[in-house]
Amino acid sequence: MFQYNESEEMYLETIYDLSLTNPQVHSIDVAIQLGFSKPSVSAAMKRLREKEFITMDQRGAIHLTPNGMARAGEIYDRHRLLTAMFRQMGADPRLAEENACRVEHVISPELVELIRRSVEEESQAS
């Protein structure tokens, strides 16, 4: 049985996403991106450090550990996949993004794989 932690996943995905365009990601960047308070983000960063998904250097820059990178990449991949599927179905880009963000935290790995195959087949047929 799969089990996701939506809050944890949102933070990891946000750190990953920010790190794609920013050389250094700080808690304030995460707080701004998610619209959360700095204390909430600080508490979440502590939990992610305890689970060894991130480290923080002396300047407060957040770094994904190898486990954190793998987990964040997986979450990011699910988000992109679901967004692509919703877009293929004709959804407005904004609507596709918003709903992918919700669904990515509750969908089973088996269903993700079925969607992946479907999206790939659709892409190859186009």
Side-chain angles (χ1 to χ4, degrees):
M1 179 76 175
F2 69 100
Q3 183 177 358
Y4 297 130
N5 180 323
E6 183 174 353
S7 174
E8 182 179 284
E9 288 189 349
M10 284 186 350
Y11 283 108
L12 286 171
E13 183 180 20
T14 300
I15 294 164
Y16 180 84
D17 191 37
L18 288 168
S19 71
L20 295 175
T21 55
N22 297 330
Q24 291 195 344
V25 176
H26 293 86
S27 293
I28 190 66
D29 302 318
V30 176
I32 291 168
Q33 180 80 12
L34 292 173
F36 294 166
S37 71
K38 180 82 164 81
S40 294
V41 172
S42 292
M45 294 305 105
K46 181 180 181 209
R47 286 189 304 273
L48 292 176
R49 279 194 314 274
E50 289 169 352
K51 291 184 174 189
E52 299 182 353
F53 287 127
I54 66 166
T55 60
M56 295 179 81
D57 65 25
Q58 292 174 341
R59 295 183 185 159
I62 302 165
H63 305 280
L64 291 165
T65 64
N67 284 342
M69 181 63 82
R71 182 86 183 270
E74 194 178 283
I75 299 159
Y76 188 80
D77 183 54
R78 280 196 320 251
H79 184 100
R80 295 287 122 226
L81 178 66
L82 290 166
T83 301
M85 180 191 69
F86 294 146
R87 297 278 315 271
Q88 282 181 358
M89 294 169 64
D92 171 79
R94 190 184 99 266
L95 184 64
E97 279 286 328
E98 289 172 2
N99 281 275
C101 193
R102 290 186 189 109
V103 173
E104 71 189 15
H105 304 293
V106 296
I107 191 167
S108 72
E110 295 82 11
L111 193 51
V112 168
E113 190 53 39
L114 289 172
I115 292 169
R116 182 180 320 287
R117 285 189 223 139
S118 177
V119 167
E120 287 172 357
E121 287 171 9
E122 181 71 25
S123 295
Q124 291 173 359
S126 298

